[in-house]
PDB file of all heavy atoms in Angstrom:
ATOM      1  N   ILE A 367       3.574 -10.531   5.325  1.00 93.00           N
ATOM      2  CA  ILE A 367       2.792 -10.495   6.611  1.00 93.00           C
ATOM      3  C   ILE A 367       3.589 -11.070   7.674  1.00 93.00           C
ATOM      4  O   ILE A 367       3.743 -10.516   8.914  1.00 93.00           O
ATOM      5  CB  ILE A 367       1.458 -11.331   6.363  1.00 93.00           C
ATOM      6  CG1 ILE A 367       0.476 -10.649   5.416  1.00 93.00           C
ATOM      7  CG2 ILE A 367       0.855 -11.495   7.826  1.00 93.00           C
ATOM      8  CD1 ILE A 367      -0.728 -11.466   5.091  1.00 93.00           C
ATOM      9  N   ASN A 368       4.250 -12.217   7.453  1.00 95.00           N
ATOM     10  CA  ASN A 368       5.181 -12.954   8.461  1.00 95.00           C
ATOM     11  C   ASN A 368       6.263 -11.949   8.887  1.00 95.00           C
ATOM     12  O   ASN A 368       6.679 -11.826  10.057  1.00 95.00           O
ATOM     13  CB  ASN A 368       5.763 -14.141   8.025  1.00 95.00           C
ATOM     14  CG  ASN A 368       4.527 -15.231   7.779  1.00 95.00           C
ATOM     15  OD1 ASN A 368       3.516 -15.014   8.264  1.00 95.00           O
ATOM     16  ND2 ASN A 368       4.893 -16.043   6.976  1.00 95.00           N
ATOM     17  N   ALA A 369       6.811 -11.173   7.921  1.00 95.00           N
ATOM     18  CA  ALA A 369       7.886 -10.265   8.243  1.00 95.00           C
ATOM     19  C   ALA A 369       7.475  -9.144   9.018  1.00 95.00           C
ATOM     20  O   ALA A 369       8.256  -8.656   9.991  1.00 95.00           O
ATOM     21  CB  ALA A 369       8.573  -9.662   6.880  1.00 95.00           C
ATOM     22  N   ALA A 370       6.281  -8.671   9.005  1.00 94.00           N
ATOM     23  CA  ALA A 370       5.808  -7.709   9.780  1.00 94.00           C
ATOM     24  C   ALA A 370       5.673  -8.162  11.262  1.00 94.00           C
ATOM     25  O   ALA A 370       6.066  -7.501  12.231  1.00 94.00           O
ATOM     26  CB  ALA A 370       4.334  -7.202   9.440  1.00 94.00           C
ATOM     27  N   ILE A 371       5.175  -9.392  11.543  1.00 95.00           N
ATOM     28  CA  ILE A 371       5.090 -10.003  12.872  1.00 95.00           C
ATOM     29  C   ILE A 371       6.592 -10.234  13.468  1.00 95.00           C
ATOM     30  O   ILE A 371       6.800  -9.748  14.542  1.00 95.00           O
ATOM     31  CB  ILE A 371       4.398 -11.403  12.805  1.00 95.00           C
ATOM     32  CG1 ILE A 371       3.012 -11.162  12.247  1.00 95.00           C
ATOM     33  CG2 ILE A 371       4.440 -12.024  14.055  1.00 95.00           C
ATOM     34  CD1 ILE A 371       2.245 -12.446  11.893  1.00 95.00           C
ATOM     35  N   LEU A 372       7.523 -10.782  12.661  1.00 95.00           N
ATOM     36  CA  LEU A 372       8.796 -10.817  13.129  1.00 95.00           C
ATOM     37  C   LEU A 372       9.526  -9.684  13.369  1.00 95.00           C
ATOM     38  O   LEU A 372      10.056  -9.444  14.451  1.00 95.00           O
ATOM     39  CB  LEU A 372       9.576 -11.687  12.051  1.00 95.00           C
ATOM     40  CG  LEU A 372       9.525 -13.166  12.042  1.00 95.00           C
ATOM     41  CD1 LEU A 372      10.294 -13.791  10.856  1.00 95.00           C
ATOM     42  CD2 LEU A 372      10.085 -13.799  13.266  1.00 95.00           C
ATOM     43  N   GLY A 373       9.331  -8.601  12.467  1.00 94.00           N
ATOM     44  CA  GLY A 373       9.914  -7.248  12.778  1.00 94.00           C
ATOM     45  C   GLY A 373       9.423  -6.534  14.017  1.00 94.00           C
ATOM     46  O   GLY A 373      10.213  -5.950  14.637  1.00 94.00           O
ATOM     47  N   PHE A 374       8.159  -6.738  14.297  1.00 95.00           N
ATOM     48  CA  PHE A 374       7.661  -6.114  15.460  1.00 95.00           C
ATOM     49  C   PHE A 374       8.335  -6.760  16.653  1.00 95.00           C
ATOM     50  O   PHE A 374       8.630  -6.011  17.640  1.00 95.00           O
ATOM     51  CB  PHE A 374       6.037  -6.279  15.450  1.00 95.00           C
ATOM     52  CG  PHE A 374       5.386  -5.787  16.774  1.00 95.00           C
ATOM     53  CD1 PHE A 374       5.222  -4.416  16.836  1.00 95.00           C
ATOM     54  CD2 PHE A 374       4.854  -6.622  17.570  1.00 95.00           C
ATOM     55  CE1 PHE A 374       4.646  -3.839  17.981  1.00 95.00           C
ATOM     56  CE2 PHE A 374       4.314  -6.110  18.772  1.00 95.00           C
ATOM     57  CZ  PHE A 374       4.158  -4.776  18.895  1.00 95.00           C
ATOM     58  N   PHE A 375       8.276  -8.058  16.764  1.00 95.00           N
ATOM     59  CA  PHE A 375       8.695  -8.765  17.998  1.00 95.00           C
ATOM     60  C   PHE A 375      10.235  -8.550  18.185  1.00 95.00           C
ATOM     61  O   PHE A 375      10.668  -8.221  19.193  1.00 95.00           O
ATOM     62  CB  PHE A 375       8.497 -10.331  17.839  1.00 95.00           C
ATOM     63  CG  PHE A 375       7.146 -10.759  18.081  1.00 95.00           C
ATOM     64  CD1 PHE A 375       6.633 -11.770  17.394  1.00 95.00           C
ATOM     65  CD2 PHE A 375       6.440 -10.107  19.072  1.00 95.00           C
ATOM     66  CE1 PHE A 375       5.359 -12.287  17.758  1.00 95.00           C
ATOM     67  CE2 PHE A 375       5.099 -10.539  19.320  1.00 95.00           C
ATOM     68  CZ  PHE A 375       4.620 -11.585  18.574  1.00 95.00           C
ATOM     69  N   ILE A 376      11.033  -8.437  16.983  1.00 94.00           N
ATOM     70  CA  ILE A 376      12.459  -8.093  17.087  1.00 94.00           C
ATOM     71  C   ILE A 376      12.660  -6.662  17.559  1.00 94.00           C
ATOM     72  O   ILE A 376      13.530  -6.338  18.327  1.00 94.00           O
ATOM     73  CB  ILE A 376      13.142  -8.354  15.693  1.00 94.00           C
ATOM     74  CG1 ILE A 376      13.087  -9.887  15.503  1.00 94.00           C
ATOM     75  CG2 ILE A 376      14.539  -7.871  15.710  1.00 94.00           C
ATOM     76  CD1 ILE A 376      13.637 -10.265  14.086  1.00 94.00           C
ATOM     77  N   SER A 377      11.781  -5.623  17.090  1.00 93.00           N
ATOM     78  CA  SER A 377      11.846  -4.368  17.382  1.00 93.00           C
ATOM     79  C   SER A 377      11.550  -4.095  18.926  1.00 93.00           C
ATOM     80  O   SER A 377      12.308  -3.270  19.569  1.00 93.00           O
ATOM     81  CB  SER A 377      10.910  -3.628  16.623  1.00 93.00           C
ATOM     82  OG  SER A 377      11.106  -3.614  15.205  1.00 93.00           O
ATOM     83  N   ILE A 378      10.716  -4.985  19.415  1.00 94.00           N
ATOM     84  CA  ILE A 378      10.407  -4.809  20.862  1.00 94.00           C
ATOM     85  C   ILE A 378      11.380  -5.527  21.802  1.00 94.00           C
ATOM     86  O   ILE A 378      11.808  -4.947  22.790  1.00 94.00           O
ATOM     87  CB  ILE A 378       9.046  -5.299  21.251  1.00 94.00           C
ATOM     88  CG1 ILE A 378       7.941  -4.501  20.413  1.00 94.00           C
ATOM     89  CG2 ILE A 378       8.655  -5.328  22.725  1.00 94.00           C
ATOM     90  CD1 ILE A 378       7.794  -3.013  20.873  1.00 94.00           C
ATOM     91  N   MET A 379      11.882  -6.719  21.324  1.00 92.00           N
ATOM     92  CA  MET A 379      12.529  -7.488  22.235  1.00 92.00           C
ATOM     93  C   MET A 379      14.037  -7.339  22.076  1.00 92.00           C
ATOM     94  O   MET A 379      14.856  -7.781  22.890  1.00 92.00           O
ATOM     95  CB  MET A 379      12.260  -9.079  22.058  1.00 92.00           C
ATOM     96  CG  MET A 379      10.793  -9.317  22.395  1.00 92.00           C
ATOM     97  SD  MET A 379      10.333 -11.160  22.045  1.00 92.00           S
ATOM     98  CE  MET A 379       8.611 -11.011  22.574  1.00 92.00           C
TER      99      MET A 379
END
Side-chain angles (χ1 to χ4, degrees):
I367 293 174
N368 296 340
I371 298 172
L372 279 172
F374 177 73
F375 284 147
I376 295 169
S377 295
I378 297 294
M379 299 177 180

